[in-house]
Each structure stands twice: as C-alpha cells, then as structure tokens.
C-alpha cells in the first residue's frame, strides 16, 4: 500500500464513495497480512519510503515465493537479498520478469518504472573480492530510484588509484565504501568528501580479520567525520541508506 | 581556509593581482600548519564542509590551547570534545567567549553567526543516563548549523512514551538515537521514519553490556532499514553525520 | 518413575504388602540405569516435574534408541531434541507412534494423554527465519501439558504487527520471545505484560550477529523487567521454563 | 496510576460523574510525565504489575530525587537500585521514611503496606562475596510482596552445605541463585527443584572470570532444565522475575 | 631411546666395549631424526617419561606413516591422536598390529607389554556426547601404563548419579573429568576427592558454549581446589597428566 | 574436623563410650557452621586433605575475622589469600601469631607444626613482575606441608638462565611455572621434566596481553605434554595442586 | 613498470627521442589499469620494490587469469597466493610456464631470471602441520630474490632440536618463525639472534587456539625484542618482509 | 659483556695470559647474575646486539635501581621503559647522569658515546595523542644508535598532511608508524615505501577501540605488504626492530 493508495482512499471518503467506517476498516486490515509463518508489512512503504525487503536465509523457497507474491500484488517493486540460485529458479518459474544478479545474489522485479533515476550514489570497493557486497549495495540503491556509479579495487595500498577517481567521488550525494581486510578505505574517502560515507565491512581477509570484525572495528573508529557503519557484508544496508540520503538531497526532506 | 577564501584567491589571479605561481604557493602552504606535536588541517573545511574538531583526551591543556588558537585564527567556529573542566578553565582564560556544556563536555566558540539554523535534527535518548552522549550530539549538530530537538528517556520498555512523540520525530531530516543497555531504540525508531537514523551506542548498563558492546551489536544488527552506527559513546559522530544529511536535505548536494 | 508410582510404593508399605527394606531397595535402585555410555535419570520426573529429555547431537542413533526405550518403559512422555531425519527414521522403525516435527527437529511420543492442556503459553518470533527455534519451544511446552499459541514474524521494525496481537499476548501466563538479528523484541514485549518473558536468542543474522551473540547480549541487557534469557537457539529451554511457570500459575506451587 | 485508580476512573464515567471525553483526556495525560531529562512511566504499574524502578548510575542526585518524588506522588512503593551512600543522604533529607540497605545499595520507601507477604522466594548464594547481589534480589522481591528466605555461601565445592538445605529450597515457588567464579550452583539447584531457577552471575572471581563472563556462560549453558539467566550482578532482575512467578503461583495468572 | 638404552650405552663404556668419544657421538646423534618435514624427538622418552605422540591433523597419511615407523623402530609404544579412519587404513596396511579406537580416534601400537597396569585413574564424563574426548583420555592413560575406570554421563543436573559412584572415585590417584555445556562437573568432583582433578572442557553444547569456551572458563574459575585445566576437547592432555600423577603416586618421584 | 578426629569418634563408639546415635548426630552437625553470611566447611579437611581457605576479596574485615576464628577453633592451619594490609591488621589484632607475606598478600597461621616439610615443589617465574603470584603459590604449598624451591626471572628470551637451573628443576615432584607476557615458559619447562607442570598465567604485560588472556591461551595450547593450567594470577591454585601431587609422590595415594 | 623502464623513459626524453609532454602522459597513464572489476597497480613495483601480488580467494578463475596476464605483460615476476588447484589448472592452460607449489598453494611465474639469489632468509616452523604457511613464506621470499633455508618441526617442547640448528639460524639476515598451538617458538628464536624475527601464527591447534588467536597473542606479547608479527596463516607477509630486510642488509637502503 | 670483551678474553687465551679452563669458567659464570628476584642477562648484548632493557611495571623502585646498577657495571647503555616519575627520582638520586623523557616515560643513561648515529629511522604518528608511544620508539631507536626523524599528527583523514612528507619518509631504512583509533596509517605508509613498516597500535580512541584492539586488528590485516605489527602501545618494540633493520641496512648482516 503506497501513499497514493492511501490518498485515493481518503478522497473516496471525501467524495462520499466510501463511508468513514469502511475506510477505517480497510486501513486497519491493510497494514499487514498474516501468512501464519510471516506477517507481510504492507505499511512499510507508507512509513519508511520503501516496501518490505525479503531476507532469504532461513526461509524455504516456497515461503519466499508466497511473500514475493503478496508484495507484488501490493504494487511495489520487489527486492529479495541473499537468494541462492535455487531460490531464483523457483521465483522465476512463477514470476518470469524477475531478474537475478548472480554476484550480488539479489532478485529484483521492477513494477513501477522510475521515469528517471535521480541524484548520484557512488559505491567504492577496496578489492575485487568485495564485489558481491558492493553489487548488493548497487542493486538496492538502484531499485530505490538512485543513479549509481561504481569504482572497484581501489584499496589504500595504492592510493593513486583512488585519488585518480576523486573528482567522480566528490560529485556524489552519498558514498558507500565497501572494504574487507583492514577496512581503511572509508577513513580516506571520508577525508575527501563533504557528504555522508556509509562504510560496509566485508568478511574477506586472512585469519585475524575474524570474519570481518577487523574492518568493522576500523570503520567504527574512523578518524574521519561523517562515516557511519553497517553490519558485516551488509551491502543492502549500505545501498539503502545511501539511497535515502540521495533522495533527501534531491527532493528535500520533511523539515525545510 | 574556507571555500570563499579560495574563491577570492582565484579571482585575484584572474584579475592579475596575484601571479599563478604565488597563488599556487599560498595554496600549497595553507592546507596544514605543523606545530611539531600536531598538523592543524585547515584544508578540512574546504574538503569536508566543517573545520577540524579537537578531540581532547591524550592532549595537554597547552597543546589544546594552541590548536584552538590556530583554528580561531583561520576564522571558523571551533569545537573541542571530551574536554575536562580543567581544560575549559585553561581555554576560558585565553578565549573568554568560549562556552562549556558540562553534561556534554564540549567547548564551543561560535565565530560565524549562522543567520538562522536550518532544517531539523531530532536527538532521541533511551534513558536519562545517556544524556552526556546525547548532549554531545546536540552541541555538534548545532555548531554545524542545524536546528535540533531533543526527546530524552523514551526507552522501549514503555513504548507509549516514544509513540507520543512520533509526529515530532517524523518531521526530522535525520534522527540521532542514543541508547545504552540493550540498545533497541534505533530499531523501533527506524521502523517509524523515512529518513536515516544514526544510532549511537552508550556504555551505560549492567555487566554484560561490556562497556557498550551490547547496544553496539544490537544496532549493527538492526532489522530496521536505514539505521547506521557510530562508535560507542561517540555523540560527536552522531551529531556530525545528522548535520551533514540535514544540510543536504535543505540545500541539496553536488549531484542533482 | 512418576510421583504416583512413588505414592503407590509407599501405600504398599503402609498396607504391609511390601517391607520397608524392600521399598527402600527399590527406591535406591530406581533413580538411574547405567547403560555404560549413559546414566538414564529416572528420578528426574520425581524431582523436577518432567522426565529426562534426550539431546541428540553427539550421540549415535543406536544410543538414542536405547535411551528412548528406557524412558518409554518408565511410562513417561518422551521428547528428543535436535534430531536429524536419520535419527527419526531409526526411532520410527522401533517406535511407530513417535512423531517428528521437521521444522523443530523434535521427536515426541506421548504416552500419558493429558485430559486437557492447561493455561496458556504464548510463543512470539521476530522473523520467519526463527521458526525452527520457536517450534522447538512450542513442542516442548505442549508435551509438558501447556496450551500454546504462536505469533510469528512480528519484529520491532513494524511495531503495528506486534501491537495488533497485544491482547492475545496479555492473556498468557508466560511468554517465550524468539528473536535473532538485534533481538529487541523481548524488551518491547516485556514492556507490555505482567508475567515473565523468556527470551531466546537465535543465530539468524548478518556477520556481526556472531552466531547469536548480538541478540543474546541485547536480551541480557533488556531495560524491561521480568525478562530472563536462555542459550542461543535453545527453544527447548524457553518452552520448558514457560511450561513450568504456566503450571505454577494454574495449579499453584509448593508455597502458598 | 494503579489498576484500582483506573477502575475508579471508569466507574466515575459509568456513574455520570465524569464525561467520557474528560476520562479519556486524563488517561491520555497520565501515562508519563516529561521532566525534560526523564519521562516517568506511571503506566508501568498498570501494564506490568509494578511501578518504574530507578536505576541510579549516570543520574545526578537531584535527578534521582525528582523522579523519586514523582513516583511517591503516584502512590506506589518506590525502589532505587545501585544507589551510592551520597544519593541516599540526599533522598533521606527529603523523604525521611526512605530505607537504605548498605550491602544491597538499595533505597526503598514502602507506601502500600502489604497486609502480608505471600508465597515463598528462596535466594541462594554460592559465596559470601556474592552478598551485595543476593541482597539486591532480596530487597526487590520483598518490595514486590514476596516472602523471602536466604541461604548464603553454599557453593558446589562443599555439596553437603547445599544438600542440608534442600528441603527448604524445594518449598519455594521460585529460586534465585547468585554465583560468581565458575557459577555452577544454578545447575545443581536446577536438578533439585520443579520450579524455575533464575540464575544471577556475579563479577566475583580471579582473572579469567572476566568480570562475570565465566559464570554467565556457565549459567546459559546449564544442563539443568528450567534455569534462565539475567545480566551480570543484576540482582534486581533476579528478584523481580522471582516475585512475578511467586505471585502467579499464589494468585494465578490471566489464563486459567 | 629409552632410559635403559642409555644405561646400556654407559655400561658399555664402563666395560671398555665402547670409547667415550663414540658414546658421545651416538648420544649426540640420537636425540632427533630430521625427516625434512619433521624432527622426530627420540629424546623425549628419556626426558619426559613417554615417547613423542603423533598429532595427526595437518599431516598427510604418508607423513604420519613415516613418523610412526621411526617411533616403532626406537622400540617404544606408539600413540597417534585425532586420526581419521583413512589414516588408520594407511597405518594398518603397513603395521598390522596397530589398533584403532573409533570413538577416541586414536591409533595405538603396544610394543612393551606392561607386566601389569598400575594404580588407578578414574575418568568421569558429564554426558554421553563427551565420549570421544573421554575415550581419548582413557586410551592415553592406558598406553602410559595406568589402570583406568570410566564413569560416563553423570552430569550435575542429576547429582545422585555421581554420588552413587563417589566411593569408586575416591579410590583414584588422579581423576579426569570431561564435560561440555556448562562444565560444572569438575567443581563438584573436586569437592569430593583429595587428589588432583584434571578438567577437560568439550565443545559439546548449544550456541553460547562457543565451541567449548563456556566449560573452559567454568573450569578455570572452579571454586574447588586442586582442579587444573587443559585445552578444549584435549582428552589426550587429560589422560597424559593423570597417568604422570598416577605413576608418581605408585612409584614415587625424584624428590623424597 | 580432621581425619584423626573422625577416627577418635568412631573408636569411642567401638569402646561403648558414645552411642551410635550420638556419634551420628555429632557427625551430622559438624560438617559446616552457618554464620548467616557464610557456611564454614569443616568437612573439607576430611574430604579433600586440607581445610577451607579464605578468599578475601568481597568480604568485610569482620567477616574474615569470624571465619578465621572458626577455622582456628577446628584445629587446622589457616590460610587467607588476597588479603589487603588493612585486613591483616584486623586479623593481627585478634590473632597475634598470624603472619603476613606482603608480596604474596597471604595471611597464614600454622597450628599443626609439620615435623618436617616433605618432598620438593619447584616454583619458577618468567619475570620479576610475576613475584606476587609466585609467592602466593609458595606460601600455599608450604602451609600444605611441601618443601619449596623458587627460581625467579628466567624467561625464555634468555634460555641459558633457565637451562642453568635444569638439574634443580628435574628433582621436583611437581613444578609450578608462573609467567605473564607471552607465557611461553611452561612449554619449555614441560619439555624438560617427567612430572606435572602446573602453569599459572599472570596479568603482567603490554596491551594485547588482555589482563593475562595471552599467557592463559599460550599455556592451554602448550605443545608440551603434562602441562595443566589454572586461572590468571591464581598462584594459590598452582601451589595447592603442586602440594597435592607432591604428597602423592611421597606418601602414595589411595590406589596402589 | 619497473624502475629501469622509468629510467629508459627519462633517458629518451633527455636524448630528445620523446617530448616531455608525451613522457608525462605515459607515466600518468601507466600507474594502473582499470579492468572494471580490478585496478591493476603497475606502479607498485616502482614504489615498493615488488609488483602487485594476486590474492586469489573471492576472485573467479577468469578474473585471476586476466590480472595474471596484465602483470606478465608489464614484465615482472608474478605470484598468486591461496590458489586452489582449479585456479592453477586455468592459469596453466594459458601460461604453460607457471609453477604450482601444492603445499604452499602458490602459483609463480619467473620472468626476470635473478642471476643469483642474495643473502639468507631462514624459515623455521614449530610443527609439521605448519608446513603450508612456511612454504608460502619460502616461495614468496625466493621470488623476491632471497636465498632461503628451511628448518621444520623444531617446537619448544624439544629444545635440543632447535638448538642443534642455532648456528644456521644465526647466519640469516632475517628469520621467519611459523608456529601454531601456543606459538612460543619466536620468543625462543628471538633470544638467539641479532636480526629481526617475523613471527607468523598459524591456525593449527586444539579448541582454545581459536583459529590461531592463541599463537597470535603469544607472539604479540613476546618477551624477546625484535619480534614483529603478521596475520594468522599469512606466510606471504612473513616471506615478503624477510625478503625486504634481506635486501636492505645486502644492498643497503636509501639512507646511509 | 659486549662482543669486544669476549674477543679480548679469547685473545688473552691465545697469548697464554689466561688458561682455557679459566676463560671457560669466566664465560660460564658471566651470562647472568642471580639477584634472587631477578636474573640479569648480561649475555644478551652478545647474542642479540643490545643489552637487556628494564620493563618497570610490577617492579619496586629498589629492584629497578639494583638491576640498573648491574647493567651499568657491565658497561652498556641502559634503558628503562614505562618508568613512573617516582622511579626516575630514585634512579636519579643514585645515577645523576640518567635522563628522563616525561612523554615517553623512559629513563636512559648513555655510557658508550656513539661517534655518530647511523642511517635513518622515521617515526610517524597519526595523532597528537599517540605521542607517548611514538616518543618511546624514538628514545629506543636512538639509544641503539639510529638517527631518528619524527612526523606527528598526520592521520589519514587529511591525506595531504602525510603526502607532504612522503619524500622524507621514502629516505628511511625503516619506518615506525604509531596510530590509535582506526589505525589505518600504516597501510597507507606501507603503500609508499620499499622498506619494512613496523606498525604500533595505541590504546587511544572511543569505546569500540577496545583499548587498542581495533588498530591492532587493522594493522594485522593491512593490505599493504611489508607491514608487521607489535603489541598495543609498545613503542619500545617498534623502535627496537626499526633500529635492528637500520643497522643491517647500514652495516650489512651476517649473510652477504
């Protein structure tokens, strides 16, 4: 249920096509659907600006398909993350328009064609091995309506590679920086820009990376201001927050 | 050195008042001052939109005073964080206009009077014990030019306290949520708004809070989208990032 | 050996049908059976109100079958947890009345038909991915004689889903709350009820969940009173304790 | 605001002494009071069965006094935990009936005289050094209306000390077990009783206790069923939950 | 090279059958053999009372066979731990007298027939799932010449099972206690005996056992005196140390 | 109550000087004394070979004095560990024969004069900074009747210092090795002797020692066989276990 | 692009064969190549003395082949680490001169034949199971031009094995010490030599090695001076740094 | 005992001024002096190229003075680290030529005047708060004979500050990089030089620095080759290793 649906509902009441009681009932019943194993939150688009996203691990292919369908029916774009190829196969069989990004492990189905993607989100990765996470961020930001540019494999051990792209980075409304190993890249990028940097640690590295704890701590302790951090390997959160900020920068927010 | 200074410099070159070589020299020499024990980064305002901030722990009162002076001379507002009362006393003796927020442990000296604070940043705290961190965020966001509203002691064990303020929260361009103990508040707030939530864990709590590790992990694992995290007790980082986003939402960013 | 068996034994002594010495001997010999690889604790029903439960990991199928049989012979209901399908197959071959809950990975065999399940235990889960743990709690509480209601996928990022069930939750004698990721749900539920909340962290989540450490710490640090915590993914412990409390609430305890 | 107050309010409406609109207003305004630095949650007694409790660390003596007063005015018993002697001195100056338990560091002020304490909560400690935590549990359970018995210094290295009290322990409706060092006591007690055991780890011990992590993990991994755990040194949480269970056992719960 | 070999060598010198220089050369060359990938330490039997033991993980079957052979040639009993079935197969093909204990994953080949095993080592396990570790301890203590008794599955949740064996335990010269989950058993056993207890934590348990960290910490923090600890799942170390103590108790040590 | 007291009691029964019922009563009443805040375990000498030891932290000076007195009255030697100078002052005022070892922080009072200390325990320390822990071990082993030799500051970075004492070390029945920093010393000592090595990690070191975690892990992972470990800084446990082994080596154990 | 290439370029300018502008362009364009998924850093040889090395995990075989080719074309020796056999197969198909060290999991292709390897690097391992890491160090040091000697399986539990090689070790310019389990070997080696010791912890060991954390901490806390540490299992870093030092010792550095 | 002393000793034997037996005796007796509480290792200069260094924490002022004297007597330069002002006062009273660096907390006494300091060690710090550690490194490297240059407060958030010194850094034979917070600086420096970088993490930072764990992990995971790491706040180890490498680069090593 998108804001425009709510508006239509209220106008129908205004025009006398719908009683206040019926409208209330519909609003009350709409927020979520109880599928037994899941409560699909149709209210989220209204509250938070984007529909519920399906996090696949721990759900059966059948459960994912059912939630996917409920979201489709509500009219929004659909995004499923951490989807194994087998899950995509099951989704594809029922929803032939669904797309799969193998590297990012995302399934997407675009229903509302964004006339044009807006603003600019830049996604930077420290190494080639960080691509799955960076691509998840990219897919997420795009389905939320952001233009995205990617700059990959520009880790701090060869600074000139990063500095060669600094102009490009400085044109973004928000920058997502994805890095494993020592995770120093967001601090350096944070020192180059005047917009928020969302740092995404990855689990790539030798033993004492501890599955991404090392870059996570690095990023939390960044000496550069304006750097905030999301969970290890959580490209989705990076792309989502960058898209929120990008939208605010282009369209403005509630407070002006 | 603020962007307008740079512009003046370049115009002087254009008008023939200054040779290109001299301009280059001045630019090259300006970015930082080497005090021996510190390199004051005057370039930061230019690159990142706000001058260098003084993090006091581990510095002597004399070192802090010297850096404070250098920043003052460059014309920007000055902010020092984690300042013990003794440090403030030393600063006050030399800079009588400096202000101290005892709860936040911040010293501020406003040189550029912002005609009017812009937008809206909301700072929410879970408990009364989290005030020092929340106040640090508030001082930071304000000195960077943001209007700030604070809502304190609205932890999730009494949801009605938070929900009673939901309208207020939904009018912000960015929300800073400060919480110790289990740190659940950002997830709940994140489910109520369509703008970024910057979560700041605090070290308040019983034993297994482990000095703030518990709320830190809670926030990193938030099931709400749009929540990013900064270091434990780092109210400065929360206020700084919120102010960046607030400015983007009011003034727009580089990419449009 | 259930309390009624003990009572019968003592009455037989009272009636002179059994000598005190013989009774003592039987009592002494009954408490446990030494199978070499295991000491089956038949005394537990008497002491703790429910028979020993078989924790399957690390035991061979044959060992599990043998312990299963000994418990059956003693007349109690039997519960085996964390049972792989292969184990169930072996059990089923020998005990055709054994039931398997594939999601919960529990094997149950009900011998004492509870005339009617008593009271009310409510089991709440934050996400669909938490179902295996929630179902283990449900199976456990039921075989111990409790009526159970389940409310799944009502995480705090969409509070209205939970609040829509608050009346139902407030009718329970004990609530089990199962949550992974940031594990904030028990704090919110704890703020809504006047009965104990048993919080069960799960290992579902992105990297910095650290296999359930994040929700575990969240729950231990809950700002809501009346929340206690069990081990990660230990649905059994959640269901067991809830059933104990439920029985006390319906039947009263030793102290009145 | 206690349940009976609500009932009186509703009866006043029923009798026509108060309009529905006015009643609603009063209910709406009552749940919390915003003191600026704190939102006092008067609703909690109604929802959870006991008024808000004041956790002192991080609050100034003046803030504590103000919250204390608000709670007193609402008519409930008041409990403040982790109160330093200086805080008690400030409280005592304004509320001469306030009591201080030096070992437990609790301040209590009983307004509603419980005709008679009900049921039985037993509090067991492993060592003499665990007394501050055990006493906090005891004070909490008593102010919530429970009869309390304490058995101190009965650690597992001298089992006969514990077994000598087993009859006493078996008469409780709920048992709180407080232990530092290796924290093995709750497992042994859990094997002796048919009621819930709330385990409270303490920070007492040699180096590798890690401030209570060792007993915390021990308790979470207890092989005895019916053992749940609260935060390190959190005697309050132990006493609170035990009192909840004790009340359910004596008075029954919502579901019967 | 066993002590008797050294003695023979020295007597040959005494009798003039061997020059001092030659003896020295032989002694110097004997201590270790360099196989390129391994230095076999033939000196260890002489220094420490038992030959080198082969820890299999990370070694190829071929490497293990070669080290096995070198040790056999030196005349001692041979023990290989953590041996996969495939390794045993390779060993068996070359050394048909080698024995395999599938539960313990040990390969043994007894060359020196101990006229009679001496003293008494008791090995106690908390659960059936701890058997692989307990059996490794048992195999090790036996090949070092100790009589061994095993008492399995006597965890603290059913104390009577343990107490029923207390007499047997009190007759040991050293007790090895193997326990996973909360690891409380060594503390209880330590309170019953006047000889050293070697505690062996196992990695058996639910999530917050953290692969054996929970019982490890429990054991290190034991409130019972005389309890020392070895590495997680290291049954070998437990059996080895118990056998050393047992030998001291029967044969006496260097200092009398 | 020491073993000989028990024997006297039983002989009194044998001789008809005491009825069986009276003897039973006395035995039953003796095991512990309940002081309210403590259960003094007089049974321990009987079960474990040495009386209860007073661990001072967390106990008031008055509580320590009272327990001290009860133990004195029972006739055994008394040992109090981790005693601050203030505690000793209080003890000395009431028991003038009490001795204080300032480095070890132990208070001792010898009542049973051991005709002659037996066997040999060697205590080795890696550095001078480890002395407090090493001295605690020494005091403990001596009050339990062992001869003790100490070798201090022989860390592995200067192996010749250790090897210069190897003969002395090889004459011990048990060796206690105390080390902070990297804690490598027990592995080297373990490779030199044929008796158990009890390793005691200390909290001495730079940052990544983590209060003794580094040497603790080093010791648990020792590649030398026969090394067991006790808690960080727990010299008492090291000395106690070494004394137990030393006694077994000189007097033999229960099983022969 | 190696230093000699740069020199040739500059000489071409000097000789008038190339304009300054063209030279600049070539230098500017050379530093890195953007392959989309990777920025190959051809500048590194110039800056750091050795070309970029390919870390294989997380890269597809096709990506590795493409980077491999780009490096080959630039004329340097190529090293790929952590290469699975399948990756080698793909490389071999395109570059038949590539070599594979199965134990080290390295692929190497030598293009610049070093007339003669220089100096001396010694690589010592504590156990046979540490060979994969030690061999990775060896391959790395050799491809960087160092002579290498290896001494394997000389752990501290049998010191004579190490001391038998001390002369050999003392002839090195740099020593790499590889050790798992307790990781004590670098401290002992550090006490024997006057050159830097690079300590490489490995993940070999029982449970409480925690995947190499135990030896890592041991090495960081080494009481021997001159010991520095690299990441767990990172033989590459060990060999690389040793080769740098070795080159400095033979050829001297920038400062003389 | 320095190498030249050894040489003199041997020449005396050669000339017949000293018998071989006497020389041997003197060599044997010299290596260490047993002060009871310490074994002073006079052999270290001979083996490792620099005399023993006094680590003050945990030693009494008197013990430090005594060790100081013994080292002085042996003729070497003396260095004591982590010395509190009180310790320096005690040293100064007895050795008036001793120097104190208040920031570094080092006491030094130079006996052998190095004709001229050699080579070049550069010490870089990320922040002003890291000075105590950087200065400890500087004092150490200088007393070992190295020329030292320091560059302070050039963290990665303002890269131009570092890059402005790159020429200076590239002239060093070894670089010590000291950094707290996120510790990213060594990776960036490592990408700029062709000599070893010794990274020293400091405990400066906000909460999730965990006393220096964050920069420690960052440095261990550095993506730049040639970076090795020492313990948290261990400036001594950094300066020591850099001086070793510097000497090798200037004077060459054993292998040529």
């Amino acid at each position: 249920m998108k804001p425009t649906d709510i508006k239509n509902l209220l106008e129908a009441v205004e025009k006398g096509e719908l009683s206040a009681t019926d409208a209330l009932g519909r609003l009350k019943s709409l927020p979520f659907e109880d599928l037994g194993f899941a409560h699909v939150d149709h209210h989220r688009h209204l509250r938070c600006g984007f529909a519920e996203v399906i996090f696949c691990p721990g759900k059966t292919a059948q459960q994912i398909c059912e939630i996917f369908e409920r979201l489709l029916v509500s009219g929004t774009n659909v995004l499923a993350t951490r989807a194994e190829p087998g899950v995509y196969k099951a989704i594809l069989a029922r929803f032939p328009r669904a797309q799969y990004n193998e590297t990012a492990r995302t399934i997407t189905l675009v229903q509302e064609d964004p006339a044009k993607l807006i603003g600019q989100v830049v996604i930077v990765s420290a190494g080639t091995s960080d691509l799955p996470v960076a691509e998840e961020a990219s897919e997420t930001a795009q389905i939320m309506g952001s233009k995205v540019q990617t700059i990959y494999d520009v880790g701090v051990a060869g600074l000139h590679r990063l500095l060669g792209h600094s102009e490009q980075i400085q044109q973004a409304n928000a920058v997502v920086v994805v890095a494993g190993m020592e995770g120093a890249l967001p601090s350096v990028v944070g020192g180059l820009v005047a917009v928020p940097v969302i740092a995404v640690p990855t689990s790539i590295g030798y033993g004492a990376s501890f599955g991404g704890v090392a870059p996570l701590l690095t990023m939390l302790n960044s000496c550069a201001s304006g750097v905030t951090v999301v969970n290890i390997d959580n490209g989705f959160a990076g792309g989502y927050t960058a898209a929120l900020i990008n939208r605010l920068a282009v369209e403005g927010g509630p407070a002006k």
Side-chain angles (χ1 to χ4, degrees), chain A:
Chain A
M1 180 160 233
K2 291 162 297 170
T4 47
D5 296 338
I6 303 281
K7 210 177 158 197
N8 293 342
L9 196 80
L10 294 176
E11 283 169 3
V13 175
E14 210 173 48
K15 293 176 191 158
E17 295 165 15
L18 193 74
S19 75
T21 318
D22 289 356
L24 195 70
R26 204 173 298 183
L27 272 169
K28 204 163 182 178
S29 70
L30 279 172
F32 59 81
E33 268 180 284
D34 190 343
L35 309 182
F37 60 87
H39 281 77
V40 182
D41 181 3
H42 296 306
H43 219 222
R44 192 164 297 176
H45 196 146
L46 181 58
R47 282 192 334 272
C48 301
F50 194 75
E52 196 173 348
V53 168
I54 308 171
F55 175 65
C56 296
K59 300 195 180 77
T60 64
Q62 193 181 339
Q63 289 172 336
I64 294 168
C65 282
E66 237 172 294
I67 303 174
F68 205 97
E69 187 165 39
R70 294 296 160 185
L71 290 169
L72 268 189
V73 165
S74 78
T76 68
N77 291 344
V78 185
L79 169 62
T81 63
R82 303 289 165 101
E84 297 301 321
V87 166
Y88 175 56
K89 217 170 136 188
I91 291 284
L92 191 65
R94 281 173 59 177
F95 314 103
R97 288 178 45 225
Q99 304 283 325
Y100 191 53
N101 178 328
E102 206 175 342
T103 305
R105 286 163 306 155
T106 50
I107 303 171
T108 47
L109 201 161
V110 177
Q111 295 200 99
E112 314 173 79
D113 194 14
K116 105 176 192 280
L117 297 174
I118 60 170
Q120 183 73 278
V121 166
V122 165
I123 297 171
V124 182
S125 93
T128 299
S129 309
D130 301 318
L131 253 72
V133 178
E135 283 289 299
E136 191 186 55
S138 174
E139 288 284 343
T140 303
Q142 286 184 71
I143 207 170
M144 285 181 66
S146 294
K147 257 189 263 172
V148 169
Q149 285 216 3
T150 59
I151 305 172
Y152 291 156
D153 190 31
V154 291
V156 300
L159 270 184
H160 59 297
R161 297 181 300 188
L162 175 70
L163 299 178
H165 292 281
S166 56
E167 214 167 309
Q168 200 177 350
I169 295 173
Q170 279 158 355
Q171 272 156 10
N173 286 325
V175 185
V176 178
V177 183
V178 179
M181 297 202 156
E182 90 272 62
L185 192 55
S187 293
V188 174
V189 172
L192 299 175
V193 297
V195 297
V197 169
I198 297 107
V200 189
T202 73
S203 52
I204 291 296
Y206 277 81
S209 154
F210 300 125
V213 169
L216 171 63
L217 292 182
T218 304
M219 293 166 180
L220 285 168
N221 285 283
S222 178
C223 61
S225 305
V227 175
T228 59
V229 187
V230 298
N231 205 338
I232 297 166
D233 289 334
N234 194 345
F236 163 70
Y240 188 100
T241 306
L244 276 188
I245 295 170
N246 184 43
R247 190 166 60 192
L248 281 171
V250 176
E251 302 181 352
K256 274 155 224 180

